[in-house]
Amino acid sequence: MFPILTYFRTLVMLFMSLLLPAAVQADRKSDLPAFDTVAYSEVMEAAIQGVQKATFGLAPLPRCNFTYDERMGFLMDGIEESSSLSFPAVVGSLPDIFYPLRPLARLFQSPISQTQAALNTKSLELSESNNALSGFLRLISVTMGLAQEVNLSLEPIDEPDLYEIICTVTYFDGRVDTMHSGIHYNEKTEQLYGSGGNGLMGLGYDYDAKNKTVYTTPNTWHDVFGYNVIYDFLGSSEFGMFLFDTRRIPFHYKGEDWQIQIWKGRYSLAGAGGEIGVYKKPVSQLDGFYNCVGKEDYLSISMRISRGDRVFVDRPAHENWWVTGFNLTDRYYRPEQLTLESDITLKDQDMLKAFCDSLDKHKDITYTVDGLTVNLVW
């Protein structure tokens, strides 16, 4: 029965996250304060502890402590300062599914230690590949090992200004494990990225600490899912964690149906962000369902998301199928408050004309043409 209260807390948090945007948006006010994860987590934790003490005579075992070295602390402080988003608070708000098993696990530390050692060995074997499975095993290792403290530090590697995040875990039984994350930090550019080019922990996202922006990598695994209209329907609403607007720009080119789509708005914990995607499909394929273009069809795309003089996202032009940027700001912005600008370079004059003809149907998008490059403003 112990997990029931924890799951209840999670459901309440989800309900609040759905209700809060609807409540504050009712009067259409701008610059809404972001969700204070620290304060809310503390309130919920106190309430849950009170109920558990009264009902079972027990308080939840404390979550592990998170500590950082000076460089890593600077990064984490920057995230919290710009977005009011506390990593320990977010982790602490997640349901602790192993809670009822922890007292028993303490009594049987030997098998837990053996499992932990096996997971650590496998995690180290996979660390060079920097894939999602390696990161997942590390997370399981921390949970199964009953971690007491997790320390994140930045240690220099064999290139100038380059560091790797090292995770040192101290368990309740006194064991200490040190794991290489495969996450690199360039102190000069302030980029935090996965060493294999597949994003942090192979999840497809890197982080620009200087501009507080999360963005996808060209090698992201998302391309296997293609695009269909259901994503937009499920992803954005007045009552959801996402609130974005989109414009679809379909056109016909060289015997195939193409679509360039743009998005802007609020993305969950990111207060302001946007996307530009390039898709195509055979004419015979069902409308509304597109495939992500392959490398041979990547286009040079830049993206800038701003509000007045304040720039939230500024992604330089590069060849890709999906350009994104999500700013960890401490304010939420509605789509109509944001401006998306982009330079998109098309393949040839035929593609340029087809794209511009479709673009003309959107009266709220202005554009200019320079050679094969379209500069659009929405």
Side-chain angles (χ1 to χ4, degrees):
M1 294 181 65
F2 285 118
I4 293 176
L5 291 175
T6 311
Y7 292 140
F8 172 76
R9 174 183 64 183
T10 305
L11 290 174
V12 171
M13 289 187 67
L14 178 59
F15 175 77
M16 289 295 293
S17 69
L18 297 177
L19 180 62
L20 181 64
V24 295
Q25 290 164 9
D27 57 5
R28 313 293 285 189
K29 289 182 179 179
S30 62
D31 299 358
L32 304 175
F35 193 76
D36 190 342
T37 57
V38 180
Y40 189 71
S41 178
E42 290 176 351
V43 171
M44 290 302 299
E45 196 64 42
I48 293 298
Q49 287 189 23
V51 172
Q52 288 180 329
K53 284 181 178 179
T55 308
F56 305 106
L58 294 172
L61 295 174
R63 295 296 182 94
C64 61
N65 296 320
F66 288 88
T67 60
Y68 317 102
D69 72 350
E70 184 176 354
R71 285 190 175 88
M72 195 68 201
F74 175 77
L75 280 176
M76 301 306 292
D77 288 345
I79 294 175
E80 187 166 350
E81 180 181 354
S82 64
S83 64
S84 300
L85 178 64
S86 167
F87 177 67
V90 171
V91 173
S93 69
L94 298 175
D96 186 358
I97 61 175
F98 290 99
Y99 174 77
L101 302 178
R102 289 183 184 273
L104 291 176
R106 298 286 181 81
L107 298 176
F108 299 98
Q109 193 64 55
S110 178
I112 289 291
S113 299
Q114 294 174 6
T115 304
Q116 173 66 37
L119 287 170
N120 287 344
T121 300
K122 190 62 178 177
S123 181
L124 288 173
E125 291 175 1
L126 293 171
S127 62
E128 291 298 324
S129 62
N130 188 37
N131 58 27
L133 177 59
S134 176
F136 178 74
L137 282 177
R138 291 191 184 96
L139 294 176
I140 293 297
S141 296
V142 170
T143 303
M144 292 291 292
L146 306 178
Q148 185 175 35
E149 181 175 284
V150 175
N151 176 265
L152 301 178
S153 60
L154 283 169
E155 296 190 6
I157 55 179
D158 297 333
E159 296 182 38
D161 303 314
L162 203 59
Y163 298 81
E164 182 181 13
I165 294 182
I166 305 299
C167 178
T168 303
V169 184
T170 302
Y171 301 102
F172 284 107
D173 64 355
R175 291 176 298 114
V176 177
D177 292 322
T178 300
M179 294 172 280
H180 291 260
S181 69
I183 298 174
H184 290 175
Y185 175 64
N186 188 312
E187 193 171 41
K188 186 174 182 179
T189 64
E190 298 187 47
Q191 300 290 311
L192 199 64
Y193 58 93
S195 58
N198 298 315
L200 303 176
M201 295 177 66
L203 298 179
Y205 295 88
D206 287 333
Y207 178 63
D208 180 348
K210 182 178 181 179
N211 299 301
K212 308 298 185 294
T213 302
V214 177
Y215 59 93
T216 49
T217 65
N219 296 331
T220 179
W221 48 268
H222 298 79
D223 58 356
V224 301
F225 294 100
Y227 166 80
N228 68 71
V229 293
I230 297 175
Y231 298 163
D232 291 335
F233 176 77
L234 295 178
S236 181
S237 73
E238 289 283 342
F239 307 100
M241 289 289 287
F242 297 81
L243 184 61
F244 54 72
D245 199 0
T246 187
R247 295 292 181 270
R248 303 181 186 92
I249 310 167
F251 57 94
H252 191 74
Y253 172 69
K254 287 192 174 180
E256 292 181 298
D257 290 333
W258 285 64
Q259 178 171 284
I260 294 178
Q261 186 165 352
I262 54 180
W263 295 261
K264 64 177 180 178
R266 172 167 61 82
Y267 289 77
S268 188
L269 298 175
E275 309 169 66
I276 301 175
V278 184
Y279 312 93
K280 70 176 184 178
K281 69 177 183 67
V283 175
S284 59
Q285 187 168 304
L286 186 66
D287 286 342
F289 294 81
Y290 286 83
N291 307 312
C292 302
V293 299
K295 290 186 178 180
E296 68 279 3
D297 289 320
Y298 281 6
L299 300 179
S300 176
I301 303 173
S302 67
M303 186 182 70
R304 179 185 173 99
I305 302 290
S306 62
R307 183 186 184 223
D309 294 332
R310 182 174 181 183
V311 178
F312 297 104
V313 176
D314 194 358
R315 301 287 294 130
H318 63 285
E319 291 194 348
N320 207 334
W321 71 271
W322 188 33
V323 175
T324 69
F326 312 103
N327 186 268
L328 299 182
T329 177
D330 61 351
R331 296 283 177 177
Y332 287 149
Y333 296 90
R334 297 181 62 86
E336 60 268 23
Q337 296 177 275
L338 303 173
T339 298
L340 180 148
E341 300 173 71
S342 177
D343 288 331
I344 303 175
T345 302
L346 289 309
K347 289 174 171 288
D348 53 36
Q349 288 293 334
D350 290 341
M351 189 179 203
L352 174 68
K353 184 179 186 307
F355 177 65
C356 290
D357 287 347
S358 182
L359 202 54
D360 287 334
K361 299 175 183 178
H362 296 278
K363 303 306 180 184
D364 57 348
I365 301 177
T366 61
Y367 70 92
T368 58
V369 178
D370 181 10
L372 294 176
T373 299
V374 174
N375 172 259
L376 62 85
V377 179
W378 172 39

